Amino acid sequence: MDCNLRPYQEEVVQAALRGENSIIWLPTGGGKTRTAVYITKKHLETTANAKVAVLVNKVHLVDQHFAKEFRPYLGSTYKIAAISGDSNEKDLFGCLVKASDLVICTAQILENALINMEEEKHVELTDFTLLVIDECHHTQKESVYNKIMGRYVEKKVRKEGNLPQILGLTASPGTGGNKQLDKAVEHVLQICANLDSVIVSTKEFTPVLQKSRSQTQKNQYMYMFVCVQQDPFGDHLKAMMLMIHEYMPPTVSRSLREMGTQEYEADVVELEKEGVKKENRLIAQCALHLRQYNDALLINDTVRMVDAFRGLDEFYNSRKTKLLDGTDIFLQGLFDENRVELKQLASNDRYENPKLAQLQCTLQEEFNDENSRAVLFSKTRRGTHCLFDWVNSNPELQRVNIRAGILTGAGTGANHMTQVLSHKKTKKFSYSINFSASYLSEEGLDIPECNLVVRYGLLTNEIAQQQASGRARAMNSVYSVVAEEGGREMRRELTNEYLESLTAKAIDQVQQMSPSEFRRKISKLQKIAVMTRIQAERKKDERKQRYSPSQVQFQCRECFLLVCSGEDLRKIENAHHVNINPEFERHYIAGGQVVLEKSFEDWEPGRVISCKNCGKEWGMEIKFKKSFSMKTPGGKSTPRQWKDVEFQVKEFDFLEDMSSHFHDLDLDE
């Protein structure tokens, strides 16, 4: 099959065809992936011992790029492998790379292979001649893209040769949250430095691009303002939260921001950590419960009162038999005393969320056409499921035959996305409306026949806004926003429109720099990045040596029960952290068998384990999660990841570590 390009696509591929590192900036629906296929084809045809890796940031994009783009054009001539975390072949990545001309994989698969020294799993950046990085605006800070490119840039600065050519693809580089042009320019330059690439866009054929997009994307931007109305259910939740504030020390409650916001949630998350560090169970538990109430406020603001009530009711039902002290009794009693009134308020249709009424009108209008297809982006996974339930229980929407589905981003959810897109090998949805949490599928999801995109109560940046609006690719499609009139979401949406235009100005200014000025700026940024990375690694190593394992004790995060020391822990393959001390079993109770949808090479899940004292779930047998605080001579801490702990965890040695536990066995029997 021929891979023909439109004129504007031919313009933006020229730098890459000359062998230069480049970032292709085209709007959603502009055919970025097709340009990558074309460049890959030319690269494989003209480069000796060519080997290409296409990196994506989401599992479902592996199969999407493989099935819809690369295999149709290259599959008959070249050997292509598609590998993600759901692929059994991921454990033999090194072997697959050697046997393939082109691999399409999640960036994490490549990152794992770069640090794994086993021969059949390990690869080097120099094994490739071309790296294609999809949605490359994510090459920032601690992202996996930037970890990979950090190694690349360090090799370049050290003048190590044979590095692969880089091709980045993006529709939305963004401004980094900056509202001034000079800062936005710095942001674009930093992305260019991280990818060691120039950024290219169409200049000569801009009208052709605009005409091409307008043929399929005559979008109507429709903002649906909703007036504020009385909310007795939300007011009652806030009154209960104030009672919890009064139960805590006054200095603590005064530091919390506005209830029902993401900022408040961040505050109580930090407050819970502080309570754990100080072994102040009153503060830690109050913060934990306040987060549940704040989640209920967020759900109430987004979907139905009954959804918010149900979440709280399930939380408190799960804790009734686990009351340890007066704090637990107060918090449980507060909910129990108000439960009946909350339930009654939640069932009063008079005060139902007005956003839902507006959304219902929009859906009814669009779905008068039985061929309509829509995607609705919501704030959270839980909110997505609540909207799904609302559609399926709404008789007015059922009359227009809306068939709802959920796009999720893990396990079978990722596979489900792919199944939706390839249903009967057509380009049609298997559902007429699909719900998705915003962060899961605004980027990259190819929905050719989607004629309605709804962003429902979202507070996101300009990148997410551009990506979401680009999902509407049918004729006369509609992009709509449901938000409170004068609310934060609406103000943010308007700000994002300004930042989108600022991004274009910043990129234009970068492109107007002379090659020498651009290279000088990029080189300086790269040297700073390398030095910063070296210093960060040094500090990380120093942190690992701060305490000996015997000085570190682990406590249950909820009841502060001491359960093990750092000496009990081992690492397996530099990834899994396990407790090998059989005495650990005395501190937990085991529940049901954990069933995972993925299989792993070196371990299998056991039973769920929970604290014997308070019932706090820790994880599963042979492995535990972030359910502990760490007690050291320097005080208590709550590290988020194992890389943040301040002692060195020894590698697991079967003979050394297990022989003492089997000394009574007669191995000759």
Side-chain angles (χ1 to χ4, degrees):
M1 184 185 297
D2 292 332
C3 185
N4 298 318
L5 299 183
R6 298 187 177 111
Y8 67 85
Q9 292 173 316
E10 291 181 354
E11 181 182 2
V12 298
V13 302
Q14 294 308 310
L17 295 180
R18 293 192 297 268
E20 300 174 23
N21 290 356
S22 60
I23 299 168
I24 291 178
W25 173 49
L26 287 174
T28 54
K32 294 180 299 300
T33 310
R34 187 62 50 83
T35 65
V37 173
Y38 184 85
I39 293 166
T40 298
K41 183 175 184 293
K42 295 298 182 184
H43 182 86
L44 290 168
E45 291 171 349
T46 60
T47 306
N49 301 313
K51 197 171 293 291
V52 182
V54 177
L55 306 183
V56 300
N57 63 331
K58 292 174 183 172
V59 172
H60 70 273
L61 294 178
V62 173
D63 289 330
Q64 181 172 296
H65 284 355
F66 173 73
K68 303 185 75 173
E69 294 288 351
F70 286 91
R71 183 173 61 180
Y73 292 102
L74 304 177
S76 61
T77 308
Y78 301 100
K79 186 168 183 181
I80 308 175
I83 312 156
S84 70
D86 288 339
S87 308
N88 293 327
E89 297 89 346
K90 67 182 184 296
D91 295 322
L92 300 173
F93 186 72
C95 298
L96 281 171
V97 168
K98 290 178 182 177
S100 305
D101 301 304
L102 165 65
V103 293
I104 305 171
C105 64
T106 51
Q108 191 62 55
I109 294 290
L110 177 58
E111 169 68 8
N112 293 344
L114 290 170
I115 63 178
N116 194 312
M117 291 298 110
E118 293 184 36
E119 183 177 355
E120 67 273 15
K121 299 179 181 179
H122 180 68
V123 298
E124 294 282 351
L125 284 174
T126 50
D127 291 339
F128 302 97
T129 55
L130 173 65
L131 286 184
V132 180
I133 303 179
D134 191 36
E135 308 292 357
C136 69
H137 51 274
H138 289 298
T139 312
Q140 300 181 62
K141 299 178 181 178
E142 294 300 312
S143 74
V144 64
Y145 278 165
N146 215 25
K147 289 178 182 178
I148 293 169
M149 287 307 302
R151 293 187 181 87
Y152 182 103
V153 169
E154 185 170 343
K155 287 179 179 292
K156 180 208 169 186
V157 170
R158 295 180 186 277
K159 300 190 184 320
E160 298 180 20
N162 299 320
L163 288 170
Q165 180 184 348
I166 301 297
L167 173 64
L169 308 173
T170 183
S172 46
T175 67
N178 299 298
K179 297 180 182 178
Q180 289 78 40
L181 180 58
D182 59 338
K183 295 295 183 182
V185 169
E186 290 177 14
H187 172 75
V188 174
L189 281 170
Q190 187 64 65
I191 291 177
C192 291
N194 294 346
L195 287 152
D196 192 42
S197 300
V198 297
I199 186 164
V200 296
S201 58
T202 183
K203 300 294 184 183
E204 184 178 352
F205 295 100
T206 300
V208 179
L209 171 59
Q210 292 173 341
K211 182 179 179 181
S212 173
R213 295 188 74 216
S214 67
Q215 288 174 351
T216 57
Q217 282 187 274
K218 296 177 181 177
N219 285 2
Q220 303 171 36
Y221 282 74
M222 182 171 63
Y223 296 102
M224 295 182 283
F225 298 107
V226 176
C227 295
V228 183
Q229 68 173 35
Q230 288 181 300
D231 181 18
F233 177 79
D235 292 341
H236 198 87
L237 290 178
K238 290 177 181 178
M240 294 170 68
M241 294 168 75
L242 285 174
M243 293 180 70
I244 299 176
H245 284 197
E246 293 171 0
Y247 189 76
M248 297 188 296
T251 54
V252 174
S253 58
R254 282 199 295 266
S255 66
L256 301 174
R257 284 174 283 184
E258 183 184 355
M259 298 174 188
T261 64
Q262 296 293 338
E263 290 81 8
Y264 184 91
E265 179 172 339
D267 289 345
V268 293
V269 166
E270 290 303 315
L271 184 60
E272 190 266 346
K273 290 180 182 178
E274 286 300 312
V276 170
K277 288 180 183 179
K278 296 175 181 178
E279 292 195 31
N280 187 323
R281 195 166 185 278
L282 185 153
I283 291 177
Q285 287 302 300
C286 285
L288 181 68
H289 286 246
L290 285 169
R291 184 177 183 182
Q292 294 294 323
Y293 281 102
N294 197 64
D295 285 347
L297 285 174
L298 291 170
I299 289 292
N300 177 55
D301 181 60
T302 306
V303 205
R304 298 172 297 183
M305 295 180 288
V306 67
D307 298 310
F309 173 76
R310 186 183 300 121
L312 274 178
D313 201 38
E314 290 172 355
F315 173 75
Y316 280 99
N317 275 335
S318 70
R319 302 179 67 86
K320 278 187 173 180
T321 60
K322 302 170 185 175
L323 308 182
L324 299 182
D325 57 21
T327 297
D328 288 343
I329 294 170
F330 164 75
L331 293 168
Q332 184 71 40
L334 178 64
F335 178 78
D336 290 344
E337 290 168 8
N338 288 272
R339 183 182 182 279
V340 172
E341 187 171 356
L342 283 173
K343 187 175 183 180
Q344 289 174 343
L345 288 170
S347 60
N348 190 335
D349 293 340
R350 179 183 174 189
Y351 301 110
E352 196 53 270
N353 194 330
K355 294 176 186 174
L356 290 175
Q358 183 64 68
L359 178 59
Q360 178 179 317
C361 291
T362 300
L363 294 178
Q364 285 177 294
E365 181 178 346
E366 289 298 319
F367 281 90
N368 280 329
D369 180 355
E370 62 180 15
N371 295 317
S372 286
R373 296 292 182 269
V375 60
L376 187 149
F377 295 112
S378 184
K379 190 178 302 182
T380 63
R381 192 189 301 265
R382 182 178 168 193
T384 297
H385 282 269
C386 291
L387 283 166
F388 171 80
D389 291 339
W390 169 72
V391 167
N392 285 335
S393 62
N394 187 308
E396 297 299 321
L397 296 180
Q398 294 306 305
R399 286 193 185 96
V400 291
N401 297 318
I402 290 181
R403 302 184 311 282
I406 295 178
L407 302 180
T408 57
T412 56
N415 294 333
H416 178 60
M417 272 190 183
T418 305
Q419 289 163 10
V420 167
L421 293 171
S422 61
H423 185 61
K424 295 184 179 179
K425 298 185 178 180
T426 72
K427 294 181 179 180
K428 293 185 177 180
F429 273 129
S430 56
Y431 301 103
S432 52
I433 181 169
N434 283 267
F435 296 98
S436 175
S438 171
Y439 62 92
L440 292 176
S441 56
E442 280 177 337
E443 292 188 359
L445 187 60
D446 186 10
I447 309 173
E449 294 191 4
C450 183
N451 58 286
L452 172 64
V453 168
V454 181
R455 275 165 56 83
Y456 186 80
L458 287 177
L459 190 68
T460 54
N461 61 23
E462 74 277 12
I463 294 176
Q465 179 175 318
Q466 292 171 59
Q467 293 283 353
S469 63
R471 297 312 108 201
R473 300 187 180 182
M475 287 288 289
N476 301 314
S477 54
V478 174
Y479 168 74
S480 62
V481 176
V482 180
E484 182 181 297
E485 186 170 11
R488 299 193 313 156
E489 295 91 347
M490 203 64 252
R491 294 196 300 272
R492 183 68 207 191
E493 197 78 12
L494 297 174
T495 298
N496 288 341
E497 290 181 9
Y498 163 73
L499 293 179
E500 184 177 353
S501 65
L502 188 64
T503 299
K505 292 177 183 177
I507 292 172
D508 185 61
Q509 194 166 118
V510 169
Q511 291 173 334
Q512 289 183 29
M513 293 178 182
S514 66
S516 59
E517 181 188 9
F518 176 78
R519 280 296 160 196
R520 178 175 56 80
K521 290 179 179 291
I522 292 303
S523 179
K524 181 179 179 180
L525 289 171
Q526 289 177 333
K527 289 175 182 177
I528 292 172
V530 170
M531 291 302 300
T532 301
R533 184 179 176 214
I534 291 172
Q535 290 172 0
E537 287 295 322
R538 186 179 296 127
K539 289 181 180 179
K540 179 180 175 181
D541 291 340
E542 290 172 356
R543 186 173 64 246
K544 288 285 188 182
Q545 305 299 330
R546 187 171 298 172
Y547 304 113
S548 68
S550 62
Q551 291 180 291
V552 178
Q553 295 177 312
F554 282 80
Q555 297 175 293
C556 174
R557 189 160 180 158
E558 186 144 327
C559 68
F560 308 135
L561 175 71
L562 285 171
V563 295
C564 67
S565 79
E567 288 185 306
D568 299 326
L569 305 182
R570 296 295 185 271
K571 280 191 300 185
I572 297 178
E573 293 190 349
N574 202 38
H576 309 300
H577 289 73
V578 299
N579 187 322
I580 65 165
N581 189 341
E583 292 296 308
F584 180 56
E585 191 174 4
R586 295 189 299 109
H587 300 297
Y588 68 80
I589 53 176
Q593 173 69 33
V594 175
V595 178
L596 300 178
E597 292 161 351
K598 297 180 184 179
S599 60
F600 297 88
E601 181 187 20
D602 56 350
W603 63 277
E604 292 181 359
R607 299 171 296 174
V608 175
I609 62 172
S610 303
C611 178
K612 186 176 286 188
N613 187 46
C614 69
K616 170 73 173 175
E617 186 175 311
W618 288 345
M620 58 182 139
E621 287 176 320
I622 81 148
K623 171 185 174 183
F624 57 86
K625 300 189 288 187
K626 299 180 292 184
S627 294
F628 302 102
S629 61
M630 232 173 40
K631 188 175 183 180
T632 68
K636 296 191 65 177
S637 62
T638 55
R640 293 182 61 191
Q641 296 178 311
W642 282 105
K643 67 180 182 179
D644 299 323
V645 300
E646 299 175 317
F647 72 101
Q648 190 68 45
V649 181
K650 294 198 300 184
E651 289 292 336
F652 178 74
D653 184 306
F654 184 84
L655 292 177
E656 177 185 345
D657 293 323
M658 302 308 293
S659 59
S660 61
H661 302 307
F662 296 108
H663 63 276
D664 292 330
L665 294 178
D666 186 348
L667 300 181
D668 294 328
E669 287 185 357

